[in-house]
Amino acid sequence: MRFDLISIFPEFFAGPLDHGIVRRAKEAGIAEIHVQDLRQFTKDRHRTVDDRPFGGGEGMVLKPEPLFEAVENLLGHEVGDAEKRVPPEAGTTVVLMSAAGRLFTQETARRYAKLERLILICGRYEGVDERVAEFLASEELSVGDYVLSGGELPAAIVVDAVTRLLPGALGNEASTENESFSSLEPSAQGGTAAIAHPRQAKLLLDFPHYTRPAEYRGWKVPEVLIGGHHAEVAKWRRQQAAEKTRRNRPDL
Ligand code: SAH
């Protein structure tokens, strides 16, 4: 799968996407991550990407022209004008990172992991000219109910969450099925695919994990995990996951 990140701070991504699973996925050719410097798509001497807002008010707004040209350059064709819009080809989605977007969830990540290509636009300053949301991006996406200073961290979050779902990225194929937000019964599935209708289904958080030492400062690992009785362990994990979900995320 190919990711294209469009940003005025392309060097931002050097750290976050160079470790662990994402790094291995890149090295294995499972994920291809390209970063586009928005200023490359400006035409003036000062490489201007922003301007003052119509109607007045604080701050600056990212101009539409460089963003449209950056995306068109990636798609290899124009996206059209008011009369004639040309959507990106099937398998490609253009996403605008935005605090005012729809909430990014594990379900969104699963949907994106089926794409061939994801183009992520990172906003800055007060945000992005609305015509980008209306006529260039197919979706506006928020990573949570808080305001960050740029779309780069949110875009890195999306790349990470999607990449670890790509076949082969984790090594152990079963691992993503037993994680938080994956299914009603995380530990009991034993390799079955995630449930068919995640939207209607109840989601469960992960169960607690323990490793050695079996006793640390007097705090003992739950007895059932040490016994080696698989069915008992599975049952305990289901119960713990359900309890943790009720406690931490009753909304799920
Ligand atoms: N004025 C905007 C915030 C702009 S923050 C508002 O009130 O909604 C600048 C940029 O950071 C945004 O254009 C967006 O790309 C990014 N950003 C900030 N918070 C975000 C979030 N929760 N999710 C995704 N992107 C976010």
Side-chain angles (χ1 to χ4, degrees):
M1 175 169 180
R2 174 174 171 144
F3 298 89
D4 292 286
L5 310 172
I6 302 172
S7 163
I8 60 167
F9 297 128
E11 65 284 3
F12 190 98
F13 298 101
L17 302 178
D18 282 342
H19 302 276
I21 292 166
V22 176
R23 179 199 181 137
R24 281 202 304 279
K26 285 198 288 185
E27 286 168 356
I30 293 166
E32 218 182 287
I33 304 171
H34 298 266
V35 185
Q36 312 292 328
D37 181 358
L38 184 62
R39 286 189 203 280
Q40 254 185 276
F41 301 94
T42 55
K43 298 215 166 90
D44 63 313
R45 210 157 51 86
H46 302 289
R47 312 221 294 164
T48 312
V49 291
D50 59 333
D51 207 339
R52 292 196 307 277
F54 276 119
E58 296 295 305
M60 300 296 270
V61 175
L62 286 186
K63 293 159 66 61
E65 307 96 309
L67 286 167
F68 272 81
E69 293 196 16
V71 171
E72 288 177 336
N73 182 267
L74 288 169
L75 294 176
H77 61 77
E78 291 190 9
V79 300
D81 53 29
E83 255 81 69
K84 191 161 78 43
R85 262 198 91 186
V86 186
E89 39 290 303
T92 296
T93 295
V94 181
V95 174
L96 173 64
M97 305 317 299
S98 161
R102 295 223 176 92
L103 216 50
F104 180 63
T105 64
Q106 190 66 17
E107 189 196 344
T108 326
R110 273 195 292 267
R111 178 159 59 85
Y112 289 168
K114 297 194 187 102
L115 294 170
E116 280 153 43
R117 188 174 196 184
L118 190 59
I119 300 177
L120 300 171
I121 301 172
C122 306
R124 276 275 157 181
Y125 314 121
E126 279 310 307
V128 178
D129 186 286
E130 188 65 16
R131 284 163 291 191
V132 171
E134 267 188 285
F135 305 116
L136 183 62
S138 353
E139 313 185 12
E140 272 183 277
L141 194 67
S142 165
V143 294
D145 292 344
Y146 38 79
V147 179
L148 298 162
S149 14
E152 286 79 8
L153 279 174
I157 287 173
V158 172
V159 171
D160 186 307
V162 174
T163 296
R164 62 203 307 294
L165 293 178
L166 297 175
L170 289 193
N172 173 8
E173 287 300 323
S175 339
T176 64
E177 291 166 14
N178 288 346
E179 291 181 316
S180 292
F181 311 110
S182 330
S183 76
L184 192 56
E185 309 227 318
S187 55
Q189 294 243 335
T192 332
I195 33 175
H197 303 291
R199 214 185 308 238
Q200 289 105 298
K202 295 262 183 298
L203 298 176
L204 212 53
L205 299 179
D206 198 9
F207 54 77
H209 301 267
Y210 291 90
T211 184
R212 281 185 286 195
E215 182 172 339
Y216 176 63
R217 296 191 179 183
W219 298 303
K220 292 193 176 110
V221 169
E223 201 66 47
V224 55
L225 297 180
I226 293 167
H229 192 303
H230 291 304
E232 288 298 309
V233 169
K235 189 171 147 216
W236 179 86
R237 286 179 166 165
R238 260 194 322 273
Q239 284 167 348
Q240 291 292 313
E243 201 203 297
K244 193 164 200 162
T245 306
R246 265 194 300 277
R247 190 162 16 106
N248 289 350
R249 293 294 303 277
D251 57 305
L252 292 178

